């Protein structure tokens, strides 16, 4: 490897570390967002189960706040999913530049990085569709409970 090649490889390795750290940070942030949202939903359910009936303005406020909170959570999860896909694509580009997908380049007859084949569908790479589904179920459940408490 020439000196220029070694420098390029070092730069790519550092960039790969940064991309990995960003993916870990975003995964942690997504989990915090989802569990924070679910915690807020459980607190609301706990409060509502102690209510015999709700006034119209409280009913409307709960639905409005719950809808806004759900919308923000879904928006953040979708944006994070897109960003995570970009970071993952950057990591795959780095792997290609380092020739990690070329059979026999690092190991005889094998590629160096078999687990990170060139998957391009972000729905199969990340948990964000599952997070959105979980939040949607919680949102619908709380709204149904709110209607039942209001109608009671």
């Amino acid at each position: 490897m020439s000196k220029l090649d070694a420098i390029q490889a070092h730069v790519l390795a550092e960039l790969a570390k940064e991309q990995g750290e960003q993916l870990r940070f975003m995964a942690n942030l997504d989990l915090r967002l989802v569990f924070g949202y679910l915690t807020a939903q459980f607190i609301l359910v706990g409060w509502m189960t102690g209510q015999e009936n709700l006034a119209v303005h409280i009913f409307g406020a709960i639905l409005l706040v719950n809808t806004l909170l759900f919308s923000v959570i879904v928006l953040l999860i979708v944006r994070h999913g897109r960003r995570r896909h970009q970071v993952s694509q950057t990591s795959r580009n780095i792997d290609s530049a380092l020739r990690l997908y070329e059979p026999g380049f690092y190991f005889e007859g094998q590629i160096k990085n078999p687990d990170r084949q060139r998957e391009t569908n972000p729905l199969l790479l990340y948990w964000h569709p599952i997070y959105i589904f979980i939040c949607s179920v919680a949102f619908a459940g709380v709204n149904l409970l709110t209607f039942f408490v209001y109608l009671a």
Side-chain angles (χ1 to χ4, degrees):
M1 217 183 234
S2 71
K3 183 136 177 106
L4 182 61
D5 290 336
I7 291 171
Q8 288 174 340
H10 179 71
V11 168
L12 289 173
E14 289 299 315
L15 183 58
K17 284 183 198 176
E18 289 175 13
Q19 299 302 307
E21 288 172 14
Q22 187 165 7
L23 282 173
R24 282 187 293 279
F25 171 77
M26 292 176 79
N28 188 22
L29 183 60
D30 286 347
L31 277 175
R32 287 181 181 189
L33 286 171
V34 169
F35 283 120
Y37 177 74
L38 292 176
T39 300
Q41 297 296 78
F42 286 133
I43 290 170
L44 184 57
V45 165
W47 176 80
M48 280 193 301
T49 55
Q51 304 299 313
E52 290 187 20
N53 57 15
L54 293 175
V56 174
H57 64 282
I58 294 175
F59 171 73
I62 289 171
L63 290 180
L64 178 65
V65 169
N66 198 25
T67 302
L68 289 174
L69 185 60
F70 176 72
S71 300
V72 168
I73 291 297
V74 169
L75 179 67
L76 287 173
I77 290 172
V78 167
R79 289 177 57 95
H80 287 177
R82 288 180 184 157
R83 179 64 188 129
R84 288 175 72 178
H85 182 63
Q86 291 171 347
V87 170
S88 182
Q89 184 61 48
T90 301
S91 294
R92 283 192 297 277
N93 290 344
I94 292 167
D95 290 352
S96 292
L98 292 173
R99 301 171 73 178
L100 298 179
Y101 296 119
E102 291 183 27
F105 191 76
Y106 287 94
F107 300 108
E108 187 69 33
Q110 299 177 17
I111 63 172
K112 169 82 171 81
N113 216 351
D115 293 335
R116 287 186 39 166
Q117 289 293 325
R118 299 167 192 256
E119 179 62 56
T120 58
N121 185 351
L123 296 178
L124 301 176
L125 289 172
Y126 306 116
W127 284 78
H128 68 273
I130 296 168
Y131 292 158
I132 291 171
F133 175 75
I134 290 168
C135 291
S136 298
V137 169
F139 175 73
V142 168
N143 283 343
L144 281 174
L145 179 63
T146 305
F147 280 117
F148 290 139
V149 170
Y150 176 70
L151 295 176

